[in-house]
Amino acid sequence: MFSYWENKHFFKFDLIVIGSGFVGLSTAIHFKKKHPKAKVLVMERGIFPTGASTKNAGFACFGSLTEILDDFWSMSQDEVLALVERRYKGLNSIRKQFGDKNLGYSHVNGYELLDESQLKVIEQMAGVNKLLKPIFKEDVFSLVKNPGKMGFSGQIKAIVKNKFEGELDPGKYMSSLWNLAQREGIRILTGISVYEINKDEGIVLGEDGSGKTNLEFKGSKIAICTNAFTKKLWPESDINPGRGLILLSEPLDFKLPWKGTFHMDKGYVYFRQIDGRLLLGGARNKDFEGESSTDFTVNPKIKSHLEKLATEVIFPAKNIQWDTEWTGIMAFGKIKSPIIQQVGLKTAAAVRLGGMGVAIGWQAGKELSVLISKM
Ligand SMILES: Cc1cc2nc3c(=O)[nH]c(=O)nc-3n(C[C@H](O)[C@H](O)[C@H](O)COP(=O)(O)OP(=O)(O)OC[C@H]3O[C@@H](n4cnc5c(N)ncnc54)[C@H](O)[C@@H]3O)c2cc1C
């Protein structure tokens, strides 16, 4: 039973955002900046965001050479270029907004490892550089002159460098968003799972996990920012969950022969070093079906594939001790771009961020805020 004061002050808002990942917080912040008097609430089912935003690898990237070439099979040239530009501009906008120090951003460059079967893509590198020139003004991709120095196994025949990529600390990025949300006077309630919304009336029904308290909130506008978990609230959405596994080693007892963010296998596998440890993740393509899940469990098939890559390709003949592992859930669909659209008289969504939400989450939140303001 709620008090008169609770009922009067805690249940009605101008905007209710569901989901407190990068997109939810960005939406709330952009909206509040535009409408300083608005009462804005963000509702999150976990104690922390519990999806992808604080589970990811922290690559500040926009697409490796093979990934971009692969996209040309399913998208038009203009669409591919627009996607790259959106990601690159998105990265620049968070760096400008929060500052590199607050994001833990380092401009370490991106690299892609190519095996024998992929060497053909090198012939297309100059063409891709040319296509990307209007966005970057100079060549993005180049060949590493002495790849052997990086110490990878002999299977790796060439390494492509991307000089516009870097890495950041997703925990620092999230903390920067929290700090800004707090300064803007945005209320964040955690531990509330939304189980139903009335998209035309602006009613949000949630429960706090006790099984006893049902909560009914009213919003003049509602923003759905639940990414991979959206089908529960918007069943018609074109969203497929895609789980990602990350392994983190114990501190390594040898000096790393490289620095940077690395991709292999068309971007499906990625690794970097963090605090003298190896962070290695991905390989969803080794079991697409098994990884199409919102369940946070670890797929043993993927785990053993990654462990093998660590000792056979990344650090051949070295002994790697693993410290910890975790999973996060991404959202994919028939096409690669996010869904940002109105879904009811009072409701709009920004979901399906794919594997690039670090780069485009802030911008997606801005676009959703603009859309909501017009509704
Ligand atoms: C393993 C992994 C590695 C990745 N690596 C990178 C990378 O290196 N670079 C990059 O750019 N991107 C990467 N990504 C992708 C990136 O993390 C995501 O695109 C981005 O975080 C999506 O942000 P979001 O706010 O849309 O979703 P999320 O962060 O998933 O936020 C959605 C939130 O909604 C909450 N929620 C869901 N349902 C409800 C409900 N019913 N009620 C209340 N709350 C709810 C969830 O708990 C969650 O906190 C990676 C993702 C994973 C999983």
Side-chain angles (χ1 to χ4, degrees), residues 105-123:
Y105 180 88
S106 289
H107 199 83
V108 288
N109 301 317
Y111 296 89
E112 180 168 27
L113 310 188
L114 302 179
D115 63 19
E116 185 83 45
S117 69
Q118 294 172 303
L119 289 179
K120 263 192 159 311
V121 300
I122 294 171
E123 289 162 25

Side-chain angles (χ1 to χ4, degrees), residues 174-219:
M174 183 52 69
S175 300
S176 299
L177 286 165
W178 277 337
N179 291 342
L180 184 52
Q182 200 164 9
R183 286 203 297 279
E184 292 291 339
I186 292 162
R187 196 166 299 173
I188 303 176
L189 295 181
T190 60
I192 300 186
S193 186
V194 174
Y195 59 86
E196 195 179 326
I197 49 181
N198 183 321
K199 300 183 190 68
D200 296 329
E201 303 286 329
I203 294 166
V204 177
L205 303 176
E207 47 105 10
D208 66 359
S210 68
K212 291 182 196 145
T213 316
N214 283 312
L215 305 149
E216 181 173 329
F217 293 81
K218 188 113 212 279

Side-chain angles (χ1 to χ4, degrees), residues 7 14 38 49 53 79 84 90 96 101-102 188 228 230 253 257 315 317 335:
N7 277 320
D14 297 303
S53 295
E79 283 170 336
V84 170
K96 196 164 160 218
K101 194 162 173 269
N102 292 325
I188 303 176
T230 301
D253 58 4
F315 296 124
I335 54 167

Side-chain angles (χ1 to χ4, degrees), residues 1-4 6-7 212-213:
M1 209 187 294
F2 293 106
S3 72
Y4 176 71
E6 288 162 343
N7 277 320
K212 291 182 196 145
T213 316

Side-chain angles (χ1 to χ4, degrees), residues 18-25 43-46 48-61 91 174 192-195 225-230 232-233 242-246 263 270 281-282 296 326-331 350-361:
I18 307 164
S20 77
F22 294 149
V23 176
L25 289 177
M43 294 168 83
E44 167 59 47
R45 63 183 181 163
F48 303 131
T50 313
S53 295
T54 49
K55 311 281 188 196
N56 63 62
F59 279 41
C61 58
L91 286 173
M174 183 52 69
I192 300 186
S193 186
V194 174
Y195 59 86
C225 301
T226 46
N227 204 34
F229 309 92
T230 301
K232 182 172 172 181
L233 304 176
R243 186 168 52 205
L245 170 64
I246 291 185
H263 280 112
Y270 39 83
F296 285 83
W326 67 87
T327 57
I329 316 290
M330 293 166 275
V351 291
R352 201 176 67 190
L353 275 283
M356 288 284 169
V358 171
I360 58 175

